[in-house]
Structures are given as structure tokens and as C-alpha cells.
Amino acid sequence: MRSSKDSSIEEISRYSAARHARPSLPHAFMIQLRVIYALLMREIHTRYGRENIGFLWVIGEPILFCAGVAIVWTAIRPSHEHGLQMTAMVISGYVPLTMWRHTYSRSIKAYEVNSSLLFHRLVTPLDIILARIILEAAGAILAGALVVAGALYLNYMEVPESWFFVYLGMGFCTFFSFGFAIILAALTERSDILEKAMAVLSYLSLPLSGAFVMTDWIPPRYRWILEYSPLANSIEMIRYGCFGMKVIPHYSVPFLLFSCTLLFMIGLYLTLRVRPHINIS
């Protein structure tokens, strides 16, 4: 009996064979979407298998991180700081932070561990990295939604003032995470030093994320540091959606559009030129 993993590989091969038919642009686009979907299914079955709760660990792992941190901070800190609910502060900051950390951690050496897939004609490095980070981003978003629902149900968090800004902030956070991850995937394929250094750099960059502090709480002469952080801008927007006029947010939509788009374009440029650096085995 064929496994789901084998079926995914055969599905990729079938889509690869369609290249000889010279499909139209819309048809070619749909083929690539199916390739990415097949890679997603392969990634899920390879990583989680069928034992225990299987693919539900896509959501379960981020829930453990987000809910665990929220519970600890709620237990050891005052219920309100600066007039804001501590639980809401932690959740609104740690969910985007978890998405960013999980997407870039899965991008490190992503091509090396999946190099055998590049023997299929239509599988490209971009397909590989997109499948990985889409899985991580979707897991973090769903986990965050469940944690928020639990906090709302237990009255540890009030209903956000504006869901629009919450969704918009998460959208920018996802856009930034994608751009950062595809850049890191290409660079770590060229540099082993960067691969080792990211474990340290990720912790040193935590203060730049704005996950546990509002920019307005920082002395004015240091605020520019977070104002030039796309992740901190995204979190400020999410918190404005959560707390409304209770906070003074520091974010810029033009800056977010420019910085996230620039990162993504740089990532695409590097990804299109990374193949010669991949050791296909």
C-alpha cells in the first residue's frame, strides 16, 4: 500500500511532466500551485507522520509556545500595566514573534535538506521554501486564533477594538516573515557561518521585535530603533487594533509596504540565483 509521502512525490512528478505540453500562463500558474500543495503535503507527512495527533502538531506546537508564555506572564505579572491587560499584551506580541521565528528557523538550509526534490523538472527552490514557510505561517496564525479565543472565553482579554487593524498587522507580519525567510534560506545555503550564527542573532534581535513593550514606553531618543523595525511596526498596528485609543501606536503603513516589499524582492532575486550553490544529492 502506497504511503501519502509516496503519493505526494508521484503527484509532483505528474505535474513536472506537464511542462512538455507548454501550458498557457494561467495553466502554468495552477500547475505551480499544485506543486506547492504537493510539497506542503509531503512536508506535513515527513515532519509529523501519522502517529499521535499527526498533522495537528502544525497548530499544536505554536499553541504550546504562545499559550505557555501567556500563562506564565499572566501568573507572574500584574493583571494590568500602563492601563493595558497583560495577557492581551503578551498574546498580541508573542503570536507574531512566534510566526517570524518559526518561518525563518525552517528556512535555514531548507534547500540542502530537500535537494533531491530538485530532480523534478517543475520543482524550484522557490517552491520548496514557499511550501515550508506557508506551513509555518498558517500554523502560527491558527494557533494564535485559538489562543485568543481561549483568552476571550476566560475573560483574560477583551474583544479587540478594531479587527481590521489586527488583521492588517498580521498581514504585514506575514509579509515580513516571508521576505526575511526566503532571504535567509538563500544566504544560509551560501554561508555555513550564518547558519550557526542565527541561533545567537535571533535572541539578540528580540528587543528589536517590540513583542513585549510598546514603542511609546521607550524614551523618545531610542524610539527610532523600533520605528525602523518592520516587525515592531506590525505589532504596534495589531495592538492598536486590540486596545484602540488606550495606546499611542507608532507605525507607518508606507514604511511597512516599502520595507516588506523590498525584502521580498531581494529574497526572490537571491532565490532565483541560489541553485548553483545547492549540493543536489
Side-chain angles (χ1 to χ4, degrees), residues 249-265:
H250 293 258
Y251 66 83
S252 170
V253 173
F255 169 74
L256 282 169
L257 284 172
F258 173 77
S259 59
C260 294
T261 303
L262 180 62
L263 283 176
F264 196 76
M265 296 304 292

Side-chain angles (χ1 to χ4, degrees), residues 47 61 101-108 110 129 132 136:
R47 194 185 306 178
E61 189 176 354
R101 295 187 68 180
H102 281 209
T103 51
Y104 83 68
S105 65
R106 287 294 179 180
S107 71
I108 296 174
I129 190 59
R132 282 203 147 198
E136 295 300 329

Side-chain angles (χ1 to χ4, degrees), residues 92 96 160-173 209-210 213-215 229-244 247-257 260:
S92 61
E161 296 285 338
S162 172
W163 285 106
F164 172 77
F165 284 101
V166 173
Y167 296 148
L168 186 61
M170 283 301 299
F172 277 121
C173 180
S209 68
V213 65
M214 293 289 297
T215 303
S229 166
L231 184 59
N233 273 249
S234 302
I235 293 176
E236 288 282 306
M237 186 180 295
I238 294 170
R239 285 178 173 151
Y240 177 66
C242 289
F243 302 114
V247 297
I248 302 175
H250 293 258
Y251 66 83
S252 170
V253 173
F255 169 74
L256 282 169
L257 284 172
C260 294

Side-chain angles (χ1 to χ4, degrees), residues 63-76 86-88 90-91 94 147 151 156 212:
I63 284 180
L64 291 178
F65 279 101
C66 298
V69 171
I71 291 171
V72 171
W73 275 64
T74 301
I76 66 175
M86 178 52 60
T87 304
V90 174
I91 292 175
Y94 203 76
V147 171
Y156 281 104
F212 301 107

Side-chain angles (χ1 to χ4, degrees), residues 192-202:
D192 292 332
I193 296 176
L194 181 60
E195 175 195 359
K196 306 301 181 184
M198 277 308 301
V200 177
L201 294 176
S202 63

Side-chain angles (χ1 to χ4, degrees), residues 176-245:
F176 167 72
S177 298
F178 272 46
F180 189 88
I182 61 177
I183 288 175
L184 192 60
L187 293 181
T188 54
E189 207 65 40
R190 301 170 183 235
S191 171
D192 292 332
I193 296 176
L194 181 60
E195 175 195 359
K196 306 301 181 184
M198 277 308 301
V200 177
L201 294 176
S202 63
Y203 284 100
L204 294 178
S205 63
L206 283 179
L208 302 178
S209 68
F212 301 107
V213 65
M214 293 289 297
T215 303
D216 198 61
W217 300 352
I218 297 175
R221 60 178 176 174
Y222 298 121
R223 286 177 189 167
W224 65 271
I225 299 174
L226 291 185
E227 289 173 349
Y228 282 98
S229 166
L231 184 59
N233 273 249
S234 302
I235 293 176
E236 288 282 306
M237 186 180 295
I238 294 170
R239 285 178 173 151
Y240 177 66
C242 289
F243 302 114
M245 301 305 293

